[in-house]
Each structure stands twice: as structure tokens, then as C-alpha cells.
Amino acid sequence: MESDASTSPRRRSTSCYSDSGDSSCSEPFSECGSDDLSFTPAAAAGIHRLLLSCAAEASEDAISSLVAKLECPSPSLDSLRRAAMELRLLAKHNPDNRVRIAAAGGVRPLVKLLSHADSLLQEHGVTALLNLSICDENKAIIVEAGAIRPLVLALKSAASPAARENAACALLRLSQLDGASAAAIGRAGAVPLLVSLLETGGARGKKDAATALYALCSGARENRQRAVEAGTVRPLLDLMADPESGMVDKAAYVLHSLVSSGEGRSAAVEEGGIPVLVEMVEVGTSRQKEIATLSLLQICEDNAVYRTMVAREGAIPPLVALSQSSSARPKLKSKAESLIEMLRQPRSPSLRARPAAVVATE
């Protein structure tokens, strides 16, 4: 839609976007949320010694004993909870323990816990797998044990918010194994669930959902289409337009992965993404200016209608300022200059006559 400074839907801000304090242009994704185990005060007093012991290396015999308790034909619920919690803590605190638990055959019985009716057991199982997945060598073992679908189910319906968030984080780590794993996670139905978590989750849940979506969409092309179809673009733009969300950078990078496809570009334009991106070029941090410029380049490439919309939104002046900035990286200046040249290309009479609201990919 054609607009000027007086009618633009963009929010003018005197302060720049920032959700990390880091203005570098590296990707804004740190590791996803960690195992944040908490207890009531009464329970915490009784478990203090266990926490201390789990911070140290455990013997192979001790770990094998815990795994055997999970595989016991008729265990008590308390025994299962205790064994699962100890394995969770052992994997949380010590890298060597992660290797030992996998070597002792602990992955498959932990996967089985994901479908257990007891919500606490389910949370212990999800989070133990999350902690084990920190070790790169364990990722393939977890995937081969059939963990993807149970983790997606936990993401969808686990009673505990912590279990749902940790399932998202575990799926993120497994998606980093290879493109096949990322595609399998998408086919198992994770993408719409992550979009829901992005929209309705708490602060940590939103960050984990964005990070997982970025990994899935970067790892498998088919997941980008799933993300667009699941309506990811609208909540991403809402987060990008809200500096108070603490999610500007993460959302912008996920959007950039989506606009590499025609469907993603169309959705970004239809949902009002051009004003948001132009404002980010104007007032964002260095990293945000770069990712917004790259996204606008993708949107404008091979589409004169989109170029018209971006130019009418007032993109050229901030891009010129960016291309002349002494603090901008040479690569960013070059991208800004390329986009300026693209926006200044003459339009054919037929294009001039077409409504600016037309957004169909040419």
C-alpha cells in the first residue's frame, strides 16, 4: 500500500531496536533455554545433596543401575521419578555423564517416558533428553531411538509448561544434526506448534520457539513453506515492531529465512512487513539494519511491484545514509547500494498503472 510519513503504519521511534545489547551482525541465536529445574522449598531442602552429587562424574555402574530402574518391568512411580530425575541432573551438570548415559542405553527408556501419563515423569524424560542432546555425539542416538514424534507430542500436549519449552529446545538441538532430521521434525508437525508457542508462550518459550523455527527453516527448505502456511509471518512482524518484546533480532532472522521463498515474500508483503523492515533499516542496530536490508533485497529481487512499494515507503534515504556510514561494514554498504540501485530502476508504464497494493509475485 502506498504511504508517506503522515500515513505510514510504521511506529516512529527515537530509540533503536535492541534485544541483546549486541550490535554486531552475527546471528542473534544463543543456545536455547537450559534445564531450569526448580522445587518447592520443602523439596529443595531434601534434594540439595543429590544436586551436589550429580554435579560430579558418575560411575558407569551407578548410571547403569539408574537405567535398569527405568527398564524394570513393574517399577513403582516413585522409583521411576527418582531414577529419571537423577539421570536428568547427571546429564545437566557433567559432559562425561552425557556420554556415559547414552553408552549405557539410557536414551530409549527416557524416550518411553515421554508418553507416560505422569506429568512429572514426562518432564524429567523430556529434559533429560534435552540435556543429553547438548553432546553432539548423542543427537543421532536420540533420533535413532525414535524421539522426534514423542518430543513433538510433548510440545503439543505436555501438562507442564517447562516440558513443552524443553521439548522445543530438544527439537532445536536435534534439527542441528542434519537436513534430514530438520525435515523429519517438520513432517512430524512441529512447525505449527512452535508458531503457537511463539504467539502464546512466556518470554523463554518465545525465544526457544524462534530459535527452533530458525533452525528448522534453515535446515530444510520444506519447513519454510510449513512455517508460512502456519501463519508464522504475522507474529514475527509483531515481535519485530515491538522493541519491548526482547525478540526483535530473533524474529528478524526467522523472517529472513522465510523470505528466501516466493511464498514467504508474498506473506511478508501481505502482512505489512515492508514498513517494519524499512523502519528497522532506519532506526535499528547495526545487526538489525543488515538483516532488514538483506530481507528487503530478497523481497525486491525480480519483483518491480514490491520495489515500488519499498521505495514509496521511504526506504531510499535511510539506505543512502547506511551506504555512507563510516561505521557500517563494507559488505553492508555494498548491499545497501545494490538495493538503492534496484529501487531506482525505472518502472515500465504498465507497472506505473498498476495499483500499489498488488502483491502477486511476478
Side-chain angles (χ1 to χ4, degrees), residues 334-353:
S334 175
K335 295 294 184 182
E337 290 168 356
S338 297
L339 183 53
I340 293 167
E341 181 180 357
M342 191 180 295
L343 296 178
R344 285 176 171 168
Q345 289 176 2
R347 288 172 285 140
S348 69
S350 61
L351 284 173
R352 289 195 186 98

Side-chain angles (χ1 to χ4, degrees), residues 32-35 126-134 166 169-170 173:
C32 57
S34 61
D35 174 4
V126 167
T127 314
L129 291 171
L130 164 61
N131 293 338
L132 290 174
S133 70
I134 297 172
N166 289 343
C169 197
R173 290 208 171 108

Side-chain angles (χ1 to χ4, degrees), residues 50-191:
L50 176 60
L51 288 167
L52 292 177
S53 65
C54 286
E57 290 186 16
S59 69
E60 293 180 2
D61 288 344
I63 288 174
S64 295
S65 175
L66 291 171
V67 172
K69 289 179 181 178
L70 294 185
E71 295 178 317
C72 180
S74 54
S76 68
L77 181 59
D78 285 343
S79 174
L80 278 176
R81 284 178 173 177
R82 176 81 179 194
M85 182 180 64
E86 289 193 40
L87 289 169
R88 168 182 177 172
L89 292 174
L90 287 168
K92 172 181 172 66
H93 288 290
N94 191 286
D96 292 331
N97 288 342
R98 296 172 193 139
V99 176
R100 292 192 179 100
I101 292 170
V107 172
R108 288 189 181 277
L110 287 170
V111 170
K112 289 182 181 179
L113 295 182
L114 303 190
S115 57
H116 200 282
D118 182 71
S119 61
L120 184 55
L121 254 184
Q122 190 179 61
E123 180 181 332
H124 286 327
V126 167
T127 314
L129 291 171
L130 164 61
N131 293 338
L132 290 174
S133 70
I134 297 172
C135 173
D136 287 339
E137 291 80 358
N138 286 343
K139 289 184 172 71
I141 298 172
I142 295 170
V143 170
E144 290 167 3
I148 288 177
R149 288 193 177 277
L151 282 170
V152 171
L153 183 60
L155 174 62
K156 178 180 181 180
S157 58
S160 160
R164 294 194 296 272
E165 292 171 353
N166 289 343
C169 197
L171 289 167
L172 158 66
R173 290 208 171 108
L174 297 182
S175 73
Q176 296 167 341
L177 177 62
D178 51 37
S181 296
I185 292 168
R187 286 194 292 270
V191 173

